[in-house]
Amino acid sequence: MTKKFFGGLVFLALAAGGFAMQGNSSKTALSPLQMENLEALSDNENTSGTCKWEYDKDLYGCPRHICILDGRGDICVCGSVSYN
């Protein structure tokens, strides 16, 4: 009887652990910075012209340079972001 009891307990523990892991694996939330970078990269995919650096501030007010189609600085890869 002891073997059946511990066997059942192990089975319940594994089932509960598997259920908890399955619930956590489907959640993939992106941070605001990741969303902003994703949007910046996807905005200028099918454009013609030259992208250049433009001074901007991010969601938190930090100064940055972002590479956009209508920028005024040096030529860069569209969608790039620099915080220096």
Side-chain angles (χ1 to χ4, degrees), residues 24-37:
N24 287 338
S25 66
S26 64
K27 298 176 184 175
T28 54
L30 296 176
S31 72
L33 180 60
Q34 289 172 325
M35 285 297 295
E36 193 173 328
N37 285 340

Side-chain angles (χ1 to χ4, degrees), residues 2-81:
T2 306
K3 288 183 181 180
K4 288 184 181 180
F5 177 74
F6 284 118
L9 199 60
V10 167
F11 175 76
L12 287 175
L14 289 174
F19 181 74
M21 291 298 290
Q22 186 264 343
N24 287 338
S25 66
S26 64
K27 298 176 184 175
T28 54
L30 296 176
S31 72
L33 180 60
Q34 289 172 325
M35 285 297 295
E36 193 173 328
N37 285 340
L38 183 61
E39 290 173 5
L41 288 172
S42 65
D43 281 344
N44 296 321
E45 285 184 358
N46 297 320
T47 59
S48 59
T50 304
C51 290
K52 296 183 180 182
W53 290 109
E54 181 72 31
Y55 178 78
D56 190 17
K57 291 191 177 185
D58 66 6
L59 296 174
Y60 305 104
C62 297
R64 69 176 180 180
H65 288 86
I66 186 165
C67 187
I68 59 174
L69 190 59
D70 298 327
R72 295 183 222 144
D74 294 332
I75 295 174
C76 55
V77 177
C78 292
S80 299
V81 178

